[in-house]
Amino acid sequence: HFLHDVYDGQLFVKLKKGVNFPAMDPWGTSDPYVVMQLGECVVKSKIIWATKDPNWNESFRINVKDPSAKYLQ
Protein backbone atom coordinates (compact mmCIF):
# COMPACT_ATOMS: atom_id res chain seq x y z
CA HIS A 1 0.00 0.00 0.00
CA PHE A 2 2.92 2.35 0.60
CA LEU A 3 3.91 2.43 -3.09
CA HIS A 4 0.32 3.15 -4.13
CA ASP A 5 0.15 6.07 -1.67
CA VAL A 6 3.45 7.66 -2.74
CA TYR A 7 3.69 6.87 -6.47
CA ASP A 8 1.24 7.02 -9.38
CA GLY A 9 2.79 4.00 -11.09
CA GLN A 10 5.91 2.19 -12.19
CA LEU A 11 7.87 2.10 -15.42
CA PHE A 12 9.51 -1.21 -16.33
CA VAL A 13 12.62 -0.91 -18.52
CA LYS A 14 14.50 -3.79 -20.15
CA LEU A 15 18.08 -2.72 -20.97
CA LYS A 16 19.35 -5.16 -23.57
CA LYS A 17 22.57 -4.06 -25.28
CA GLY A 18 24.67 -1.27 -26.73
CA VAL A 19 26.47 -1.22 -30.06
CA ASN A 20 29.68 0.49 -31.18
CA PHE A 21 30.46 2.53 -28.08
CA PRO A 22 33.49 4.81 -28.42
CA ALA A 23 36.85 3.46 -27.27
CA MET A 24 37.69 5.17 -23.98
CA ASP A 25 40.49 2.91 -22.69
CA PRO A 26 44.08 3.07 -23.96
CA TRP A 27 43.70 -0.45 -25.43
CA GLY A 28 40.70 0.47 -27.62
CA THR A 29 37.75 -0.71 -25.53
CA SER A 30 35.37 0.86 -23.04
CA ASP A 31 33.74 0.01 -19.67
CA PRO A 32 30.17 1.12 -20.40
CA TYR A 33 27.23 1.46 -18.03
CA VAL A 34 23.87 3.23 -18.24
CA VAL A 35 22.24 5.64 -15.79
CA MET A 36 18.50 6.29 -16.14
CA GLN A 37 16.52 8.92 -14.27
CA LEU A 38 12.81 9.62 -14.12
CA GLY A 39 12.00 12.43 -11.72
CA GLU A 40 13.73 11.65 -8.43
CA CYS A 41 14.26 7.93 -9.14
CA VAL A 42 17.71 7.00 -10.51
CA VAL A 43 18.87 3.52 -11.53
CA LYS A 44 22.29 2.37 -12.78
CA SER A 45 23.20 -0.70 -14.80
CA LYS A 46 26.12 -2.94 -14.03
CA ILE A 47 29.45 -2.08 -15.68
CA ILE A 48 30.44 -4.28 -18.60
CA TRP A 49 34.22 -4.32 -18.63
CA ALA A 50 36.47 -3.99 -21.70
CA THR A 51 33.94 -3.94 -24.53
CA LYS A 52 32.45 -1.59 -27.11
CA ASP A 53 29.37 -3.79 -27.63
CA PRO A 54 27.95 -4.49 -24.15
CA ASN A 55 25.10 -6.91 -23.41
CA TRP A 56 23.34 -6.03 -20.16
CA ASN A 57 20.04 -7.93 -20.26
CA GLU A 58 18.93 -6.15 -17.08
CA SER A 59 15.45 -5.17 -15.97
CA PHE A 60 14.63 -2.06 -13.97
CA ARG A 61 11.53 -0.89 -12.10
CA ILE A 62 11.33 2.90 -11.84
CA ASN A 63 8.74 4.48 -9.55
CA VAL A 64 6.78 7.34 -11.13
CA LYS A 65 5.18 10.19 -9.16
CA ASP A 66 3.66 12.21 -12.02
CA PRO A 67 3.71 10.38 -15.39
CA SER A 68 2.41 13.35 -17.38
CA ALA A 69 5.29 15.67 -16.46
CA LYS A 70 8.35 13.39 -16.56
CA TYR A 71 10.82 12.21 -19.19
CA LEU A 72 13.16 9.25 -18.96
CA GLN A 73 16.73 10.52 -19.18
Side-chain angles (χ1 to χ4, degrees):
H1 293 304
F2 173 76
L3 288 177
H4 292 286
D5 293 339
V6 176
Y7 299 105
D8 290 331
Q10 294 180 322
L11 174 66
F12 295 92
V13 177
K14 174 73 175 181
L15 178 62
K16 292 188 175 190
K17 66 179 183 175
V19 179
N20 201 25
F21 276 51
M24 301 300 287
D25 295 336
W27 44 91
T29 63
S30 190
D31 301 327
Y33 63 93
V34 174
V35 177
M36 292 176 275
Q37 179 177 356
L38 184 63
E40 299 171 2
C41 188
V42 178
V43 294
K44 180 183 171 188
S45 73
K46 61 186 175 188
I47 298 170
I48 307 295
W49 301 101
T51 183
K52 291 173 38 176
D53 299 306
N55 287 300
W56 285 282
N57 291 318
E58 290 185 69
S59 296
F60 298 92
R61 180 180 302 169
I62 301 173
N63 295 316
V64 180
K65 283 190 177 181
D66 181 9
S68 65
K70 304 296 180 202
Y71 296 95
L72 181 64
Q73 298 180 18

